[in-house]
Amino acid sequence: MQSKTKIALLFLTGLEILAALLLFNLLGGASFGARIAVLVAVVLISLAMDAAVLHGNSASVVSDAKKLKDADDYIRAFNAWLNEETPFADYIRIAIKQLESLKRKQKALRAVLDDSNDSPFLSTADEVDQYILANCKRILNRVMIYDQGDAHKFNMHAAYLQEVLGENAHVLSDFENLILEVSQIGDNATAASTPCLTELTNALRSVRSSGAETWEQSGGNTGEPPQQMMMQ
């Protein structure tokens, strides 16, 4: 259970206990049976509220594609899956680190550009963001569809996740190189003066053209997540 969920449940429990005590005192003149009935009603309402909180923070609910809009949404979804019995916890942790790295790099680029809204590099940054999030969606889909009853398919799914995470790491590395170039040249840098922009653009196009299905066909992979994917 995530810390935020624990805090929410503790807060609700405190309110529920307080409400029960207040009602019990307010009904001091009522019959014992009436007071017990009110207490039972409070308990049932409390259980319903606790169940709603738990359901709202369950992995399946927070992984709903309609709710996943940005990196923070995906981080929340991945953290929810870490609380589930999934064999892909190591890959999920790597995905979280990559998303956190993406957020830092996006912030760094905008700082270098001095919050410029018309820089040509912002469109590339948006492409990187969309690409990483799309891959994170693929990772979530694999984690969700995996049937632990078919353990013999684990390596196939693990190989796919490793390949997707590897592509993320490659794009993030190129993105960092681009930011370094822009920071050295200044916010007036052009595409012609930043070789890494071309390299990053080609990397994004290359990965898109390869298609997700080719990742599924990678063979001979043990499924062990490489440490170099742990983006800092």
Side-chain angles (χ1 to χ4, degrees), residues 102-168:
L102 173 65
K103 290 175 60 180
R104 290 194 299 270
K105 288 175 172 53
Q106 295 281 13
K107 183 177 180 180
L109 177 62
R110 281 164 174 75
V112 169
L113 296 174
D114 195 24
D115 293 328
S116 173
N117 293 322
D118 57 356
S119 171
F121 299 105
L122 290 179
S123 61
T124 300
D126 289 338
E127 286 189 45
V128 171
D129 196 76
Q130 293 170 14
Y131 173 76
I132 298 296
L133 294 185
N135 269 358
C136 286
K137 182 177 180 180
R138 295 187 182 100
I139 293 171
L140 278 175
N141 288 340
R142 279 304 177 103
V143 172
M144 286 189 290
I145 67 174
Y146 175 67
D147 182 0
Q148 297 195 39
D150 294 331
H152 64 284
K153 294 183 179 179
F154 171 79
N155 283 343
M156 178 190 72
H157 292 295
Y160 176 83
L161 296 181
Q162 181 172 324
E163 190 69 25
V164 174
L165 290 169
E167 295 292 349
N168 278 358

Side-chain angles (χ1 to χ4, degrees), residues 202-222:
N202 290 338
L204 289 170
R205 290 174 179 172
S206 175
V207 171
R208 287 198 189 98
S209 63
S210 66
E213 291 302 318
T214 60
W215 296 337
E216 298 181 17
Q217 299 170 2
S218 58
N221 197 314
T222 62

Side-chain angles (χ1 to χ4, degrees), residues 60-90:
S60 58
V61 172
V62 298
S63 297
D64 185 347
K66 296 179 181 179
K67 299 180 179 180
L68 301 175
K69 306 299 182 182
D70 55 28
D72 288 328
D73 292 334
Y74 279 94
I75 289 174
R76 181 172 177 243
F78 282 132
N79 278 322
W81 278 103
L82 287 179
N83 296 320
E84 303 287 338
E85 293 184 1
T86 173
F88 302 116
D90 288 340

Side-chain angles (χ1 to χ4, degrees), residues 42-58:
V42 170
V43 170
L44 293 176
I45 293 173
S46 300
L47 291 175
M49 293 174 65
D50 292 344
V53 171
L54 289 173
H55 176 71
N57 288 276
S58 65

